[in-house]
Amino acid sequence: MVKAIRIHKAGGPEELKWEDIDVPEPGEGEVRIKHTAVGLNFIDIYFRKAIYPPPGYPFIPGMEAAGVVTAVGPGLTGCKVGDRVACAGRPMGAYAEERVIPANVLVPLPDNISDELAAASLLKGMTAHILLRRVFKVEKGHRILVHAAAGGVGQILVQWAHSLGATVIGTAGSEEKIKLVKDLGADHVINYKTQDFVQEVRNITNGAGVHVVYDSVGKDTFYGSLDCLAPLGTLAVFGASSGAPEPFSISELAKRGSLSVTRPSLMDYTKTREDLLTSAGELFQMLAGGLVKVSVGNRFPLGEAQKAHEALEGRHTTGSTVLVP
Ligand SMILES: NC(=O)c1ccc[n+]([C@@H]2O[C@H](COP(=O)([O-])OP(=O)(O)OC[C@H]3O[C@@H](n4cnc5c(N)ncnc54)[C@H](OP(=O)(O)O)[C@@H]3O)[C@@H](O)[C@H]2O)c1
């Protein structure tokens, strides 16, 4: 028996229950892992509330963790007991002391990446990688807008885009968060709770607008994000922290100058093993080179995941949050 957080029905943080579970022996193509650090992500909230359909009840949430391989399935090669590994994405089940997982979703951890750093950065950092290098390829001279820039993904986006030579404008919801984002290298930071961010972006860019907006807030920022774009600009809506944007007419894109809107998901961009290892590898290089620093702003015992969910949903966290098994 080991301990895990399980959800038996959709609802608030109180539905996260700390329970005993059995972990089977790994089958073909699988390994058993003992988790050493688990990453908290906003997507965990969508599944808890059943905004994204859960795999069935009860289920163990969690999509990001690091740990050590304790058993390998029959005939498996390329992975052995004692290997340090991390995962980011499906299958869900990271909120557990131990789990069985397909070996082909695991990323081997280099010596210079600690378990905690991996759990704090793999999912969020690979998301930043695909957004900046594949969804819209940011180059020197681009002007970009990053919403929720003090958050887990936001902080990584700001630093990575800065290192690419972009002019980075961030938004955040408090003065404390604004200071944090400035210290990470953002050129301008807007308090989108107290300021009109569209007007501020227009002022900062002398009316030209930005080439790309990375918007994880969704409903509350969607039209404003479109209004911040220069003609031919791209809006990447990659999250819905405030809810999903309402359906919109495609003519809104023509009206503002042939804009593009995309709704990327990390899972689609890392479906093949090659894409997964490329994204993880480029992230690890940025971390090792010090160009991206991932701050663990908050730590909670895994058994107290309820408190972690309350903090993330209540907009009280900055950077990454790690659950400690
Ligand atoms: N598409 C993908 O593959 C993918 C992958 C990873 C993450 N994501 C998305 O990226 C976003 C960021 O994820 P994260 O885990 O790093 O979370 P996070 O950004 O650390 O936390 C969410 C932040 O969003 C802001 N926010 C604005 N309106 C909010 C509201 N109504 N309720 C709660 N927060 C609100 C808050 O910052 P302020 O107080 O500064 O407003 C809050 O701290 C999430 O939407 C997540 O779903 C998508």
Side-chain angles (χ1 to χ4, degrees), residues 216-238:
S216 65
V217 175
K219 189 179 174 121
D220 288 354
T221 45
F222 181 77
Y223 279 102
S225 294
L226 288 181
D227 289 336
C228 288
L229 285 169
L232 311 192
T234 298
L235 169 57
V237 181
F238 68 99

Side-chain angles (χ1 to χ4, degrees), residues 171-224:
T171 61
S174 72
E175 291 310 310
E176 186 197 348
K177 289 184 179 183
I178 282 171
K179 180 172 179 332
L180 223 158
V181 178
K182 277 192 184 142
D183 290 346
L184 293 174
D187 298 278
H188 309 271
V189 192
I190 302 164
N191 185 335
Y192 58 0
K193 272 193 182 160
T194 58
Q195 292 174 286
D196 174 350
F197 74 83
V198 177
Q199 192 52 50
E200 293 300 320
V201 168
R202 289 280 150 204
N203 293 345
I204 290 164
T205 61
N206 296 320
V210 296
H211 296 95
V212 60
V213 180
Y214 295 113
D215 186 342
S216 65
V217 175
K219 189 179 174 121
D220 288 354
T221 45
F222 181 77
Y223 279 102

Side-chain angles (χ1 to χ4, degrees), residues 1-4 21-23 32-35 60 70 93-100 302 325:
M1 287 276 201
V2 301
K3 287 278 188 189
I21 57 153
D22 282 322
V23 180
R32 181 168 169 150
I33 310 175
K34 187 173 167 51
H35 286 149
I60 301 174
T70 57
Y95 285 22
E97 291 175 332
E98 297 186 37
R99 78 185 296 194
V100 166
L302 179 57

Side-chain angles (χ1 to χ4, degrees), residues 109-152:
L109 288 183
D111 290 343
N112 57 1
I113 303 291
S114 72
D115 291 17
E116 182 176 83
L117 178 57
S121 69
L122 191 61
L123 194 148
K124 299 165 191 74
M126 289 199 301
T127 303
H129 169 259
I130 62 121
L131 289 170
L132 296 169
R133 310 315 293 141
R134 298 182 62 192
V135 173
F136 180 96
K137 202 163 192 300
V138 170
E139 310 284 2
K140 191 174 166 55
H142 279 143
R143 299 179 299 275
I144 82 164
L145 175 63
V146 177
H147 284 307

